[in-house]
Structures are given as structure tokens and as C-alpha cells.
Amino acid sequence: MSAPKVLVVLTSHDKLGNTGKPTGWYLSEFSHPYDVLNSASVSLTVASPRGGLAPVDPSSIEAAKDDQVSQNFIKSETTKPLFEQTRPLSEFVGNPSAIAPYSAIFFPGGHGPMYDLATSSESQQLIREFWDAGKTVAAVCHGPAALVNVKLSDGSHLLKGRKVTGFTNDEEDQVGLTKVMPFLLEDKLKEAVGTEGAFEKAEQPWAEKVVVDAGGRLITGQNPASAKGVGEAIVKSIKAQN
């Protein structure tokens, strides 16, 4: 039996609004799930809207300077090609045979997804195709921005009536970027789940919170501290599928 596969989707966006500062994907939110998935013999393919180099947020490298898992990931010649040579989303969208080998799609965070994946029609279609095929959809921190505008084939919202989490308004305030964001993720997630669903969060900002819904097929994590737990939930979900 071949190893299970996960398609990871990173942002292609590298500018933090009009601040002049760089952004991208957040190192520990990919490195820790990668560590968990790799240890479970799960194979990963990485895509992004534009393909090619997906920009890592420099501040996330600095924040992870004492995090050995992240340092190994960013420096290793084994893992660097994952984010330096991503495949464009267009290779997968509308191509059932291209997504057939994958059990799950996973969106790490960083502020980049707020600007491109949130509004990418290709990303939204790909999520819908994974969902319709009975596969798992997972995201952490700002990664759930990719889910906020996804409609299913019947026109209903992917998240309507679901339980989810993501980077909170309090956490955005504490990093001083509330006014820079194109929208606030917590607000958009609450809007998407509606009155029948729920936005859940840890009792304290920055604490770990992983929410699993839809029979294990919808997995969201609140913040960087939740990244490893999201990886573990993906492994559990894949095992349940196979």
C-alpha cells in the first residue's frame, strides 16, 4: 500500500498590506505539522497560487530561533525544495486524477493567506473538490482564511453550521495588525458558520486550540501553538479514511 498523501497549500503573498513590511507563510505552522506527518510516513506535495517560491515570513524565522524543529525544517536540503519549488494550484484544480492520490488538503497560516488564499477562486474550487471527494480539509492560524468564502456544489457554505477556530481578534490586536488586515479572521469565521455553528477559542490568547468537526474531516487550529495538534489530527483523520 502506498504512503498516504497530503497536499499543502502555501500563500504566494509577501507584502503586509501597505506597511512596507514582508509577510508570507508562518514557519512553525508548516514545520511542526510536517514533522508529525513525516514521522507518520505521510507524503507531502506543496502548492501555492503562483507556484515556485512560496515566501516564508521572516519574522516567523526569528520567532522560531530556539525551535529546533523549525530550524531543521528551514535549513534542511530535504525540506527546502518543498517551499522553494511549489506547484501552481492550476495543476490540481478541475483535475480529479491529480487530487485522487491525496487524503487531505492543509493550509498553514501566516498573514499571507489573508491577502491571496481568502479570495483565490482556484483555491476555493480545490477545497470544494477535496470536500466533495470525501477528503479532509485542515488549516491553522490564518490558514482558515482560505475557507471563509468557500461554497459547496449545492451553493451552501462549507463552514455553515460547523465548529471552527482560527487566529482570534485578541491575538491580532496583540500583534498590532488589526488595522492592517483586509478583514478580521474571527469575524469572518463567525459569519461563515452562522448561528448553527460555533467559533471556538482557547481560554487565553496564544494557548493551543484544535477543533475537529464533520466526522474528523474539518480540522482547524487557532494559532502557532496549535500547529502540532493540527498535524496529529490530520494523521488521525487519514487513518480513519484508509
Side-chain angles (χ1 to χ4, degrees), residues 114-141:
M114 297 284 285
Y115 296 93
D116 64 353
L117 292 171
T119 55
S120 164
S121 58
E122 286 186 322
S123 176
Q124 289 167 27
Q125 183 178 339
L126 191 59
I127 293 166
R128 180 167 61 249
E129 289 168 354
F130 265 73
W131 191 260
D132 286 349
K135 301 173 188 291
T136 297
V137 173
V140 66
C141 200

Side-chain angles (χ1 to χ4, degrees), residues 155-219:
S156 66
H157 201 294
L158 168 70
L159 299 182
K160 185 174 173 60
R162 300 295 184 193
K163 293 175 182 171
V164 297
T165 190
F167 204 63
T168 65
N169 291 352
D170 285 343
E171 287 165 333
E172 204 70 83
D173 271 343
Q174 289 180 24
V175 295
L177 292 172
T178 297
K179 290 189 168 69
V180 179
M181 290 297 103
F183 60 90
L184 290 177
L185 184 55
E186 179 178 337
D187 291 353
K188 278 285 189 187
L189 287 170
K190 284 178 175 174
E191 189 181 310
V193 300
T195 52
E196 306 100 54
F199 178 86
E200 300 182 358
K201 56 187 175 183
E203 289 186 12
Q204 297 295 327
W206 310 106
E208 180 181 358
K209 181 71 176 180
V210 176
V211 176
V212 180
D213 198 15
R217 289 180 54 215
L218 181 64
I219 300 165

Side-chain angles (χ1 to χ4, degrees), residues 38-53:
N38 188 52
S39 297
S41 300
V42 176
S43 171
L44 275 70
T45 300
V46 186
S48 66
R50 291 183 206 153
L53 175 66

Side-chain angles (χ1 to χ4, degrees), residues 65-79:
K65 64 180 185 293
D66 298 323
D67 171 1
Q68 203 56 53
V69 168
S70 291
Q71 289 304 313
N72 290 345
F73 182 87
I74 200 76
K75 292 171 182 172
S76 166
E77 294 305 320
T78 304
T79 44

